[in-house]
Every structure is written in C-alpha cells, then in structure tokens.
C-alpha cells in the first residue's frame, strides 16, 4: 500500500528539485525525507530515485508515480471539501498567506467580516513573499494565498493550484516636486536622469520596473532598495528619487507626493489561489467571496 504522506514528499521533490529544499520547506531533516522516500520505494517495489553526483533525480517510474500522486492528492482535497460541505457551520482553522499591501488594505476587512459571520473559525495570517507563496501552498503550509503578478509576467501554470484573479491594481510613478519641476515630466523616459528607488534585485516588481525603463530607452540609476513598499513611498515623497508603486499602497496611507500615470497603463494583478480540489471547500468559497466584496468596496474609493 502506497503511503499518502510519502507520495506528497515525492511530489514535493519533483517540484523543488532537491531533498534539502523539500526538508527546508516542510521543516523536516534531510535524513528524514530520504528515509521516507526510501520506504516509499519499498512500497512501490521499483526504484523511484537515482543518484546523480551528490543529488538524486526521479526515475521514469518516479515520474509516473508523481503524475498519479498529484491526481490522488487532488482527490483527497475534493473529499475533504465534500465532507466539510456536509456541516451546517464553518469552523476549524484556515491558514492564509498574503503580501504586504494586501495585508494592509484587504485583510483587516476580511477578518472583521469572517469574525461576524463565523465566530468559531480561527484564521491564521502570514506575510510571505509572493514568489515563494505558491510552493508553500502546494506543500500544504497554507490553505489560501493572496498573490500578485506584475505586468509582463506570464500567467503562472502551477500544477495543482486553482488561481482566480481578484482585481487589477494600477501602477503609477510616485515623485516629489523636487523631481517634477513645472509638471513637465509625464513619461517614464522623462525620469531617466532621476535617482530610482526600487525593490531588491530578483523581485518580480524590480524585474518589471527595470524592463519598463529599458523599453523606454534608459537604465534606471537605482540608489535605494527595499522590499517594503512603504519605505519606497517615504523615500520618494521626501525627494530622494522616483519609484513605481501600485495603488493598493494608498489604502490607509495618505500620499504626500505626486502621481504620474503612464500612457501604457500598467497594472499589477492581484489574485487568490488554493490547491486544486479544495476550491469547493466551504470556508475557502466564503473567503474568496468576502475578498471580492472587500476588493469591490476599496475600488470604489481608490486614490
């Protein structure tokens, strides 16, 4: 009999590439993961892994089992969702991963509404960088993620994830009067000579901003970096440079500088994601519906 938990470890290995990364993601030791995968091989009766240098890779049989395991795990999610639907109330625990601006602008309203509708439900919230949230969702660390996708990025096609767009979040230049004399700067290229304030290298927002600047004919001179968008905003409004920020930043934060809307009208897409098979779980359906309602209300009062 194939063990469900060990099959999940095999699926995680196929996604993450190394036993060490699987161990880190699931808070196990590497030796524990290796032992569990060895037991799965004994259960399967065929080699699932082969040694390649210091690493392991899936055999053809291992790849075959991963494909079946993904389907089995989705069926388990559907079974759990169906069982939850037989209850007359929504109780238990739900773990949510989100990014900074969504945590500030959307989550408080969601928590308030859920506490009124379902007082016996416990919500756990963690701020997670969006570029790592999906893998944490797939590993079962979270039940729902609020994610973001910057302009120009391909729509992710992550296996085993049900993703739904929530709203478009416009991106605009944010700049103090010091760098916008006589309001004569209107296009991205007009800020080629200004110091830039961006997220650190490797972040999707940074990749997009640099790509957009290069398309406008210049390489941005990045003077300041921070993953905290409120830090970017504060540095910009105190005149230390120019930045590109999504409008969601301004929910609960009063802007003190100027906006420049670009002709291309770039938007960051905000979405929800759950594991495939869990999308009919009543609490996740309710959370998604409330997120739509909260998002619609904030759109009506956007800056």
């Amino acid at each position: 009999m194939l063990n469900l938990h060990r099959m999940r470890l095999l699926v995680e290995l196929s996604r993450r590439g190394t036993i060490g990364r699987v161990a880190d993601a699931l808070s196990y030791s590497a030796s524990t993961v290796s032992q569990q995968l060895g037991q799965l091989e004994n259960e399967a009766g065929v080699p699932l892994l082969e040694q390649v240098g210091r690493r392991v890779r899936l055999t053809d049989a291992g790849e075959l089992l991963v494909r079946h395991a993904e389907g089995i795990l989705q069926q388990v999610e559907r079974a759990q969702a169906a069982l939850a639907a037989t209850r007359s109330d929504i109780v238990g625990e739900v773990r949510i991963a989100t990014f900074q601006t969504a945590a500030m602008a959307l989550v408080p309203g969601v928590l308030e509404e859920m506490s009124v509708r379902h007082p016996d439900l416990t919500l756990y919230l963690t701020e997670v960088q969006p570029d790592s949230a999906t893998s944490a969702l797939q590993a079962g660390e979270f039940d729902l993620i609020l994610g973001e996708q910057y302009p120009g990025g391909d729509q992710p096609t992550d296996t085993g994830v049900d993703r739904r767009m929530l709203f478009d979040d416009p991106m605009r230049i944010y700049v103090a009067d010091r760098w916008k004399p006589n309001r004569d700067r209107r296009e991205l290229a007009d800020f080629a000579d200004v110091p830039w304030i961006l997220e650190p290298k490797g972040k999707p927002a940074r990749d997009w901003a640099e790509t957009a600047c290069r398309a406008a004919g210049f390489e941005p001179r990045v003077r300041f970096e921070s993953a905290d968008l409120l830090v970017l905003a504060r540095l910009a409004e105190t005149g230390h440079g120019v930045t590109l920020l999504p409008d969601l930043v301004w929910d609960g934060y009063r802007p003190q500088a100027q906006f420049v809307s670009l002709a291309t009208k770039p938007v960051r897409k905000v979405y929800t994601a759950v594991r495939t098979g869990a999308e009919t779980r009543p609490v996740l359906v309710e959370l998604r519906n409330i997120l739509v309602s909260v998002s619609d209300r904030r759109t009506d009062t956007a800056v």
Side-chain angles (χ1 to χ4, degrees):
M1 179 71 70
L2 297 174
N3 180 277
L4 187 65
H5 171 67
R6 292 171 190 143
M7 284 196 290
R8 186 182 293 277
L9 291 179
L10 188 69
V11 170
E12 287 303 314
L13 178 61
S14 74
R15 291 170 177 161
R16 300 177 188 274
T18 70
I19 287 176
R21 289 175 183 167
V22 174
D24 290 342
L26 302 181
S27 300
Y28 295 140
S29 67
S31 60
T32 297
V33 174
S34 294
Q35 290 170 7
Q36 290 292 305
L37 292 174
Q39 291 183 47
L40 182 62
E41 281 192 319
N42 292 335
E43 294 167 357
V46 294
L48 302 175
L49 305 173
E50 58 185 359
Q51 198 75 33
V52 180
R54 296 183 178 181
R55 302 176 63 176
V56 297
R57 69 182 178 194
L58 298 176
T59 63
D60 289 344
E63 296 280 4
L64 176 64
L65 182 55
V66 164
R67 291 195 293 272
H68 283 284
E70 288 175 336
I72 291 168
L73 292 171
Q74 289 175 20
Q75 285 299 109
V76 170
E77 293 282 0
R78 292 188 179 98
Q80 292 174 333
L83 288 172
T86 65
R87 297 183 59 98
S88 59
D89 54 354
I90 293 178
V91 298
E93 300 177 350
V94 175
R95 295 156 297 170
I96 302 171
T98 186
F99 56 97
Q100 182 195 34
T101 47
M104 296 174 60
L106 304 177
V107 169
V110 172
L111 295 177
E112 182 177 351
E113 203 155 333
M114 288 295 284
S115 67
V116 171
R117 294 190 189 186
H118 310 289
D120 295 325
L121 178 71
T122 301
L123 295 177
Y124 292 93
L125 177 73
T126 304
E127 184 181 325
V128 177
Q129 290 295 325
D131 44 359
S132 62
T134 298
S135 59
L137 175 74
Q138 292 170 318
E141 296 177 48
F142 301 104
D143 301 300
L144 179 144
I145 61 174
L146 267 169
E148 60 178 354
Q149 179 185 340
Y150 277 86
D154 293 333
Q155 175 63 37
T157 56
D158 301 295
T159 303
V161 174
D162 179 85
R163 190 185 308 268
R164 297 180 189 175
M165 288 300 165
L166 199 54
F167 59 87
D168 287 344
D169 192 14
M171 302 286 300
R172 293 187 286 176
I173 291 175
Y174 190 53
V175 58
D177 288 340
R178 172 186 176 185
W179 301 110
K180 200 168 180 290
N182 303 319
R183 301 180 180 271
D184 59 348
R185 299 182 192 260
R186 295 184 175 85
E187 301 295 337
L188 197 58
D190 295 332
F191 295 91
D193 61 333
V194 177
W196 279 81
I197 310 161
L198 296 175
E199 289 196 38
K201 280 189 174 294
K203 297 299 181 184
R206 173 67 171 267
D207 293 342
W208 168 71
E210 288 185 329
T211 298
C213 290
R214 289 165 188 155
F218 71 98
E219 186 71 27
R221 182 163 49 94
V222 181
R223 288 275 309 278
F224 308 99
E225 298 180 346
S226 176
D228 187 330
L229 299 192
L230 294 181
V231 171
L232 303 188
R234 187 61 182 154
L235 287 172
E237 63 197 14
T238 51
H240 295 287
V242 62
T243 190
L244 280 161
L245 292 173
D247 278 2
L248 199 59
V249 169
W250 312 114
D251 283 54
Y253 183 90
R254 190 180 187 87
Q256 300 178 40
Q258 299 182 45
F259 298 103
V260 176
S261 297
L262 299 176
T264 54
K265 297 182 178 180
V267 297
R268 174 183 68 167
K269 293 185 179 296
V270 179
Y271 62 85
T272 62
V274 302
R275 288 183 295 280
T276 301
E279 65 270 18
T280 58
R281 186 178 165 195
V283 66
L284 299 181
V285 172
E286 181 80 334
L287 270 171
R288 279 177 151 176
N289 288 339
I290 290 175
L291 276 163
V292 169
S293 176
V294 170
S295 299
D296 288 345
R297 289 201 296 270
R298 68 152 297 276
T299 300
D300 294 338
T301 58
V303 173

